[in-house]
Every structure is written in C-alpha cells, then in structure tokens.
C-alpha cells in the first residue's frame, strides 16, 4: 500500500476491531482480535499494538504513511489526557493511560474517544448524517447509547461526558427500573431491554391470544426481534407493546428535537434493523409529541454504517484533529 | 457621554426596554416605551427608532460613539436576515424586516435574536453563568422559555429555532394540556401555569384542610406566589403540590443535564423569586433523577440579572459579532 492512511480502533468487550482507513474515510483493510480481559485486562492494549505492528509489516506500511491513530473505547474517556476509567466490561479496575502506551509504541498522534461518540461522528461524516453540522445518533441495543454532534464536532459538555441521552427520564412514575438505578429512563423503556420490560409489564393485563405472551408467561426468553416480528405478523399483544415502545422512542426523539433541533436523529443498533417498519412508527409518534413549530425540521433516519460506524468515526477523529492542528 | 457604547433593545408585548450599554456590558442609561400594537403593530419599530434618536441627542451621542444595535424580539427570529415572524403578541401578522428598518435609520450594525436566547446570553456573560462555555437558562414564568449557550455562543440548531426546552414532554400520559396543544410538556407542568394546573388536578383528590384548596375549589384565582408561600407556611395541600411541581422541574433539569451537561442551569422568571426555598427543593429532586455519573457536574443556580438579562444579552450579541467580524 502507498499513500496516507489512518489506523482506526474500535475496542469492545468481545473484540477489538482495527482498520486501515484512507483519507477519504474509506476502510481499506479491516481485521479484529479477541479482547483478552484476563489479568485485569492488562493484555488488551499490548495485543492491539502488536496486531497493528504485524499488519503494518504485512501491508508494507511505515509510520511516515500514517496520519495518526484514532480509537474508541467503552467507559469514561478523558479526551485531552487519552485516558479511560470505568470500562468495567474490559476488566479494567483503574484508570488506563492509553495515550502513553500508544505513544511509546508509535511516533504518531493518538486520539481517544468514547465509543458512542465516535460512532456518531462516523455516521455524521460518512453515513446517514450527510455531513450536516448538527446530528444526534441514538443506538438502540441492550441499552441506549448516544452521541451528539454540534457544529461538526463531538459535543462533550462541561466535563467531557455529555450525551447520556439514554438516561433522560421519560416517565418518572414508571415502575420499570433502569440498570442505572433510576426509574423510567429512555433506556429502560426504549432499548431492546425496554421492549422486554414493556412486554413483561403488559402481559399482566392482556387476556387475548398471543404466542409472545404465552412465551413470556411461561418464563421463556423472548427477543426484541421476535416481538417486533410478531407485531408485523398481527399478534395483538405484540402490536400493543410495539405501539407503547415506539411511543416512548418517539417521545425521546421529540425531546431531543425540542432541545437541539439537529438536522437528523439517526437510529442505530440492533433494534434499528427492524428498518422501515420501525421508522414509520417512530416518525408518526414523534410528530405527535414534538413542538409544532419545529415539525419537519429534523429528519429521523436509519444508520447506514452498521458496525463500521465507530471505526470510520475513529478515522474522522484523527482527520479533524490533524486539520485543526495544521490550520 | 463619551467613549464607545452599544444600543440594546428588549421588545415585549407591553413595553420596549431600551438601554445604552458600555463595552464592559454595564447598563449606563435605561428607559422604556409603551409597545403600541395598534394598526397591526406598524408603529412599534418607528417608535423605538424615534426614541433612540431622541436619547442619543439627549446624551449627545453620535453614531461614531456606537458599536452597534442589539435587539431581542418575541417570535421566530431569522438571525441572518434580521427578520421575525409569529410574534402574535405584537399584533404582527406578516414577517417583519427589522434589519432593513434599523439600517435605514442608522448607519450601524444591527443584530436580532429571540428574546429567550439573548436573556440566556446575558446571564452567561454577566450574570449567574460566570462566562462558562456551556450554560442553559430556564425562564419560569407564565410559560417556560429557554436559551442554550454552547461554546460561548447561542445555540440555534439546524434552522435557528432550537432550545424549546419548555416543550419537552415529561409525562406523555398526563391529562394536563399545554398551550401548544400537546399533553405533559415541561411548560404545562413546571411553569407558573403548571403549578396552577397541578393544584387544580390535585384538589380533586385532597380531603384535608387548606386555604389554598378552598380558594381553588371556590373558583378564585390563586397565584403561583400564593401557593409557594402557603407551602412554606406548612399548608399540606400546597406542600404536596410544590413537591410534585419541583419533581417535574427537577426531572426537566436532570434531562437537560443528561443530554447537555452544561456548567450550570440558571433558573429565571417570576417563579425563581421563591429563591432558596425553590432552589433547595429542585436540587434535591434533580439529584434523584439525574444520571449518577453526571451528578455534581452541573450546578443549578438562580438568575442574577432579573429583567435586565435580555438588555445585557443584546449588548453582548453586538460585542460578539463585532469581535468575530474583526478577528
């Protein structure tokens, strides 16, 4: 390979995805390694560094061909210091100084970000955000992650950790508890877990015929995908749950529009695979809840980059910083 | 008067406040004129212009002594064009081109903003915001107004009209309707009107002794001030309402912190005159609802500039633009 590239890393609890990305933001090579969380996660960073060195040799790339390294990590990231703490799924007990580790291994700029934030940056720059200045990404998975792009940059708030959209409270009187300890959070009601929470709550009150209700009542695990499919297949119980689910999702989107009025809200994560069926319902619900004068200003769309969003965002992070440094 | 000054205007439905502000942001002269909304509000702008010219003569100020004119207006403002529409309380039916009118009258830069936004800018620069980069103002009056400062500037969102914090929905299943038509908006539950809404709703369910409940049940008008005073004086009914009121206010603040994590949320408007009694209750409720990892990052404080916030913000608007123009 010749030309200029960026190394992008998306670190997760199961695997670390690594890519060589060109300056147009296209992934040119991509691989992943197992995240070894043994021994308090002390092998994670050395393993990533060794794998990068191997692949640079393989593709005959030298440091002079590289603009820098961008990385997304779970946990609470200090962007300036290049450190992370509270990444419990990596088995890291203490704060980790990733910047020092990478600077020792490579004579290259290194930029660290929270994983939800760089996924938002990736979608804004190369995906569904179409490079618009103000974009919000909502990731609908086991939880609800979020990233806010304002004026073309990741918004960090006062101390680096803004954008916890999953924990805005949509129903303070709800009996559904979030993993964070509060009740009625967006995440507790509108993530995949939220869909299950609503199903379990409503199964007490539904007396009709439903395969989904029967499965829940007999203690079986029912996935979000199965509930949504059953709703599409006219299971009345599943339809009722999906209606309530999209009401909360619409309310959450409407609140973000009232406050931030971004160009678009991008829905990502596992639930977003329900595609147009989800999108149509959420748009209708959001229209019910959003402030009338703002109607039509923000589009709700599906994410386009899938699992590559964070890798592409990590590369964009490097491009942005290097552009700013040179400006 | 000698030196350099700014003309600041705060246009409201009852009166237009006008001030001469120095470059340190201090009001040096201040007066107001009646807002004459007759004849489709066509006298409003000429009246303001004439009054400014009179006062410039009075204080022997010439245009060369002036940096520019900053103005806050109700309605939907187009900052770039200097136009406003939808200011129904001014009797303006069509879009108004304020920039052209002022440019015809004065050879000076003219900047127009939404009134809630410049009040937020005023408090951020010269009041309770202490010049911190990210600040949110919530004005608790008949409605709930809001202004968001991000990176030291008014945040406008995609089309100029972001920051409708009063219309985020805190309880989608509420029976309390907002003036906007939706149910369960922040404004419908946590403005002065909201306090009354909660009082009327709860009076159906309260059977104890209460002067406030009696007044409501007999159809008398009860002010927000009276309810809050009764709560302080141990009226159980009023205390119950105040508790629910501050729960919603705390929920609204917590949601803004979860999303934006500003340095502070500033509470202004009539209700904020309840002072420490309000502040203590809202802080406690907000702590119940905010995402734990963000606790302590955002301070909730009282506005400091009172009715001058918009005038001071209008002057800051001019300073910011002129600084940017010269940079």
């Amino acid at each position: 390979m010749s030309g200029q590239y960026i190394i992008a890393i998306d670190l997760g609890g199961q695997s670390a995805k690594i890519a060589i990305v060109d300056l147009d933001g296209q992934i040119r090579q991509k691989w992943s390694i197992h995240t070894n969380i043994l021994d308090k996660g002390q092998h994670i960073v050395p393993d990533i560094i060794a794998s990068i060195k191997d692949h640079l040799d393989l593709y005959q790339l030298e440091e002079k061909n590289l603009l820098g390294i961008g990385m997304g990590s779970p946990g609470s990231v200090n962007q300036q210091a290049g450190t992370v703490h509270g990444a419990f799924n990596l088995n890291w007990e203490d704060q980790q100084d990733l910047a020092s580790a990478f600077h020792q291994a490579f004579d290259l700029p290194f930029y660290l970000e929270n994983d939800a934030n760089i996924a938002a940056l990736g979608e804004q720059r190369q995906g569904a955000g179409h490079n618009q200045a103000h974009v919000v990404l909502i990731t609908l998975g086991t939880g609800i992650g979020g990233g806010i792009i304002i004026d073309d940059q990741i918004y960090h708030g006062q101390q680096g950790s803004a954008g916890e959209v999953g924990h805005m409270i949509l129903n303070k009187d709800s009996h559904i508890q979030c993993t964070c300890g509060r009740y009625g959070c967006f995440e507790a009601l509108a993530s995949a877990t939220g869909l299950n929470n609503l199903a379990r709550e409503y199964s007490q009150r539904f007396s009709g015929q439903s395969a989904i209700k029967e499965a829940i009542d007999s203690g079986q695990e029912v996935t979000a995908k199965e509930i949504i499919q059953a709703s599409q297949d006219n299971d009345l119980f599943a339809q009722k749950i999906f209606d309530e689910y999209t009401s909360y999702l619409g309310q959450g989107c409407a609140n973000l529009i009232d406050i931030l009025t971004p160009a678009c809200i991008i829905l990502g994560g596992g639930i977003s695979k329900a595609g147009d069926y989800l999108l149509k319902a959420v748009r209708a619900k959001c229209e019910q809840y959003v402030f009338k004068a703002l109607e039509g200003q923000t589009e709700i769309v599906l994410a386009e980059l899938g699992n590559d969003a964070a890798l592409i965002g990590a590369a964009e992070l490097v491009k942005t910083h290097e552009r700013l440094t040179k400006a």
Side-chain angles (χ1 to χ4, degrees), chain A:
Chain A
M1 290 172 82
S2 63
Q4 281 275 298
Y5 301 95
I6 295 163
I7 301 292
I9 307 161
D10 174 18
L11 174 57
Q14 301 296 318
S15 68
K17 281 172 274 183
I18 308 171
I20 298 170
V21 184
D22 67 27
L23 298 196
D24 293 327
Q26 302 300 307
I27 292 175
R28 301 290 287 266
Q29 302 292 340
K30 185 168 72 169
W31 67 97
S32 72
I33 63 170
H34 170 65
T35 301
N36 176 3
I37 62 168
L38 294 178
D39 306 324
K40 296 186 186 174
Q42 64 175 293
H43 307 293
I44 296 174
V45 173
D47 285 357
I48 292 172
I49 288 171
S51 175
I52 293 172
K53 286 189 181 286
D54 282 351
H55 282 76
L56 292 181
D57 286 347
L58 180 68
Y59 299 118
Q60 298 182 320
L61 283 170
E62 295 175 41
E63 287 191 359
K64 66 174 186 205
N65 299 115
L66 298 170
L67 196 62
I69 301 170
M71 177 169 178
S73 169
S76 189
V77 168
N78 182 322
Q79 294 85 12
Q80 274 72 42
T83 59
V84 58
H85 72 270
F88 302 112
N89 60 340
L90 300 177
N91 224 1
W92 281 344
E93 290 178 1
D94 308 318
Q95 177 175 285
Q96 302 288 313
D97 186 350
L98 302 195
S100 292
F102 277 87
H103 283 141
Q104 265 176 28
F106 301 98
D107 185 22
L108 287 169
F110 172 80
Y111 303 102
L112 187 66
E113 251 304 343
N114 169 272
D115 46 7
N117 285 345
I118 51 164
L121 189 67
E123 283 288 348
Q124 183 252 350
R125 297 284 173 87
Q126 303 277 344
H130 295 109
N131 250 308
Q132 296 187 89
H134 312 306
V135 168
V136 175
L137 171 71
I138 299 175
T139 311
L140 305 166
T142 313
I144 289 187
I148 299 173
I149 308 294
I150 287 181
D151 281 333
D152 214 34
Q153 307 300 332
I154 295 166
Y155 176 72
H156 290 118
Q158 199 57 25
Q159 294 182 31
S161 43
E164 288 290 354
V165 301
H167 297 283
M168 74 169 133
I169 288 177
L170 297 189
N171 181 354
K172 72 180 174 60
D173 303 319
S174 170
H175 299 295
I176 296 177
Q177 190 170 23
C178 186
T179 51
C180 79
R182 312 299 196 203
Y183 289 82
C185 291
F186 192 19
E187 171 165 314
L189 301 166
S191 63
T193 312
L195 188 60
N196 266 287
N197 290 339
L198 294 172
R200 268 195 305 276
E201 190 178 69
Y202 190 62
S203 76
Q204 323 278 335
R205 285 180 280 139
F206 184 83
S207 57
Q209 279 288 320
S210 159
I212 294 290
K213 177 181 152 64
E214 276 170 38
I216 288 170
D217 290 348
S218 61
Q220 287 174 48
E221 278 296 315
V222 177
T223 66
K225 192 178 169 182
E226 286 166 342
I227 297 172
I228 296 173
Q229 188 56 55
S231 173
Q232 284 181 278
D233 295 343
N234 297 318
D235 178 307
L236 279 180
F237 173 74
Q239 283 181 333
K240 169 71 192 161
I241 296 161
F242 186 71
D243 185 72
E244 185 69 354
Y245 173 82
T246 50
S247 285
Y248 281 120
L249 188 50
Q251 181 189 354
C253 290
N255 286 0
L256 287 166
I257 295 170
D258 290 342
I259 297 166
L260 292 172
T261 327
C264 60
I265 292 178
I266 303 171
L267 304 180
I271 294 268
S272 71
K273 289 183 185 145
D276 282 340
Y277 182 68
L278 177 80
L279 203 55
K280 205 179 148 196
V282 175
R283 284 176 175 167
K285 294 289 188 178
C286 182
E287 210 178 295
Q288 273 181 39
Y289 296 127
V290 79
F291 186 51
K292 267 202 163 63
L294 299 176
E295 241 179 65
Q297 293 204 15
T298 301
E299 217 185 344
I300 300 176
V301 296
L302 297 171
E304 292 177 0
L305 302 180
N307 289 330
D308 288 342
L311 280 175
I312 290 170
E316 291 294 331
L317 190 69
V318 174
K319 277 165 65 182
T320 300
H321 278 281
E322 291 304 296
R323 202 165 52 223
L324 289 175
T325 310
K326 271 162 197 137

